[in-house]
Amino acid sequence: MTTPVGPVTAVTEQESPSTVPEARPSYWRVVRDQRKTIVVAFVLAGAAYWVLGQLDEWTLAGCIAGGVALGLLNHLATEYWLLRIITSGEQPTRNKLAMSTLVRLLVLSVVAVGIAVWFWPDGIGLLFGLAIFRLIALVMTTVPLLKELKDP
């Protein structure tokens, strides 16, 4: 079709490769997408050993690093689960979302408290490491969302 100005072309918006869901979810995609979070987890674990190692509190450092590792494992498992839902195209119910989250957090809590009791009193560091990692992961997730909402 030609107009006085020139040919009319349909403008279609192409999706970027990162927004197109893959056919199958993969662990490597989750790891690739969460690189910054993984680096932060390693830095936190290294900082625990660096600071507490100088104070000869190696067990406490290991428990804090273990808490960070449990937090990272929980974070990556959650991201994989979300990627699996997105790529499948299904619409999960609230009940399914709640049950999945409840089971995952229940397993995480039982493991964390069990290890904390096993290594008591240094085991409390595991719960501390888990809490610190969760807080930092939450901030790392929230800040980009807030920036996106701020920019029209």
Side-chain angles (χ1 to χ4, degrees):
M1 175 174 160
T2 307
T3 63
V5 178
V8 176
T9 58
V11 178
T12 59
E13 186 176 323
Q14 293 182 351
E15 294 186 40
S16 67
S18 63
T19 61
V20 176
E22 294 179 1
R24 287 184 3 190
S26 73
Y27 294 111
W28 295 114
R29 179 172 177 193
V30 171
V31 169
R32 186 183 68 228
D33 290 345
Q34 298 299 318
R35 285 186 312 258
K36 289 180 185 177
T37 307
I38 294 169
V39 168
V40 167
F42 278 108
V43 168
L44 285 173
Y49 278 109
W50 184 57
V51 171
L52 294 169
Q54 294 178 18
L55 301 172
D56 203 30
E57 294 287 344
W58 295 102
T59 307
L60 180 59
C63 286
I64 291 174
V68 169
L70 275 176
L72 178 63
L73 183 67
N74 177 48
H75 184 75
L76 294 176
T78 303
E79 291 293 324
Y80 179 74
W81 179 73
L82 290 171
L83 180 63
R84 213 173 64 210
I85 287 176
I86 290 168
T87 56
S88 73
E90 71 177 89
Q91 294 293 329
T93 63
R94 270 196 220 180
N95 194 22
K96 185 177 178 181
L97 289 172
M99 286 306 296
S100 176
T101 302
L102 180 68
V103 168
R104 184 176 37 81
L105 292 177
L106 183 65
V107 169
L108 178 71
S109 298
V110 167
V111 169
V113 170
I115 294 171
V117 168
W118 182 294
F119 286 101
W120 191 263
D122 290 332
I124 198 73
L126 186 117
L127 301 176
F128 179 72
L130 186 60
I132 290 296
F133 177 81
R134 190 67 237 146
L135 180 66
I136 290 174
L138 180 66
V139 168
M140 290 179 68
T141 304
T142 305
V143 168
L145 291 174
L146 291 175
K147 285 183 182 177
E148 194 172 304
L149 287 174
K150 181 182 161 189
D151 295 334

